[in-house]
Amino acid sequence: MTAADRNASSTLILAQRGRDAPAAAALLREAGTQAIVCTDMAHFSRSLRDDVGCAVVTEEALRDADLTALTAWVAKQPTWSDFPFIVLTERGDASPGKPGSATLVKALGNVVFLERPFRPTTFVSVVANAQRGRDRQYEARSRMEELHESEARLRTALTAGRLGQWALDLPPTVFTASAATRAIFGRAESGPFAYTELEACLHPDDRDRMRESIRQSMETSSDFGIECRCFRQD
């Protein structure tokens, strides 16, 4: 999602009492935020999508409705998503310590309670804050997608060049090697292959240089590149 798309992300509103919904929508539209008024819980649940910025819903609408579809959507969110809900309560009806509030937090996850009556500026500010939080989630999704694309390109390049890939996590020493790496060093595709065994394949004159490069990388948290002479088992 681009910056322009994020700025245009909408707010869902579910408030079935009186003029609560049109009043809330008017406040948000006046502040430049798109608002979609939902007629009932079924409409609200169907309207939930990844490109929606947040949702405003009254506590009584949640209390009196079947939340099965809603909680199922919340549970199936992708890892980058923590959809924000703003629940409008009556004075004293819901607070973080009340049983009803705990049930809503458990069902919806990311919940902010806003007690009525409230100042219009407060309402707009709370929604804007939720939208900013959603924007950060979109940014996290973009970074994850870029990482996955980069990893896919790397795998393609390694396969095309018949190159191996290995990883060493320190500390503790956890060594993993691709099938290509194992083949390069004359190892079976499965079975034990420890870093000490890979290091033993290095030319004796290169082992200290390899160890020093790893030590400096650990101390400075920086990358290093090194070429070493290697021996195969055969």
Side-chain angles (χ1 to χ4, degrees), residues 90-156:
E90 296 292 350
R91 187 180 300 277
D93 275 1
S95 64
K98 288 186 176 294
S101 300
T103 300
L104 289 179
V105 170
K106 182 178 180 180
L108 304 180
N110 185 4
V111 180
V112 172
F113 295 99
L114 181 60
E115 189 175 86
R116 294 171 288 183
F118 47 73
R119 291 178 179 271
T121 52
T122 300
F123 173 69
V124 171
S125 176
V126 170
V127 172
N129 187 59
Q131 290 272 11
R132 285 192 293 272
R134 189 64 169 165
D135 286 347
R136 290 191 290 272
Q137 294 176 27
Y138 291 142
E139 291 168 2
R141 178 180 64 178
S142 296
R143 290 193 294 271
M144 291 172 64
E145 289 173 348
E146 290 171 359
L147 178 61
H148 291 158
E149 291 173 2
S150 177
E151 290 175 343
R153 288 194 296 269
L154 175 61
R155 286 194 297 270
T156 300

Side-chain angles (χ1 to χ4, degrees), residues 1-143:
M1 177 175 288
T2 65
D5 292 333
R6 291 198 300 270
N7 292 336
S9 61
S10 56
T11 296
L12 296 183
I13 299 175
L14 178 61
Q16 299 167 282
R17 188 181 65 181
R19 290 189 49 79
D20 283 354
L27 286 173
L28 294 179
R29 289 166 183 159
E30 185 177 347
T33 300
Q34 293 186 17
I36 300 174
V37 176
C38 299
T39 55
D40 53 30
M41 179 56 69
H43 182 198
F44 181 79
S45 298
R46 290 195 305 270
S47 300
L48 287 168
R49 303 184 306 273
D50 287 347
D51 60 350
V52 173
C54 67
V56 175
V57 58
T58 59
E59 190 273 338
E60 60 269 18
L62 293 170
R63 183 180 59 227
D64 301 333
D66 180 1
L67 303 182
T68 303
L70 175 59
T71 54
W73 183 87
V74 171
K76 292 180 180 179
Q77 290 182 90
T79 55
W80 59 267
S81 179
D82 187 18
F83 187 81
F85 292 89
I86 301 168
V87 177
L88 306 182
T89 71
E90 296 292 350
R91 187 180 300 277
D93 275 1
S95 64
K98 288 186 176 294
S101 300
T103 300
L104 289 179
V105 170
K106 182 178 180 180
L108 304 180
N110 185 4
V111 180
V112 172
F113 295 99
L114 181 60
E115 189 175 86
R116 294 171 288 183
F118 47 73
R119 291 178 179 271
T121 52
T122 300
F123 173 69
V124 171
S125 176
V126 170
V127 172
N129 187 59
Q131 290 272 11
R132 285 192 293 272
R134 189 64 169 165
D135 286 347
R136 290 191 290 272
Q137 294 176 27
Y138 291 142
E139 291 168 2
R141 178 180 64 178
S142 296
R143 290 193 294 271

Side-chain angles (χ1 to χ4, degrees), residues 179-197:
T181 297
R182 288 173 170 269
I184 289 169
F185 285 92
R187 302 285 174 157
E189 188 171 338
S190 61
F193 184 31
Y195 176 73
T196 53
E197 295 176 85

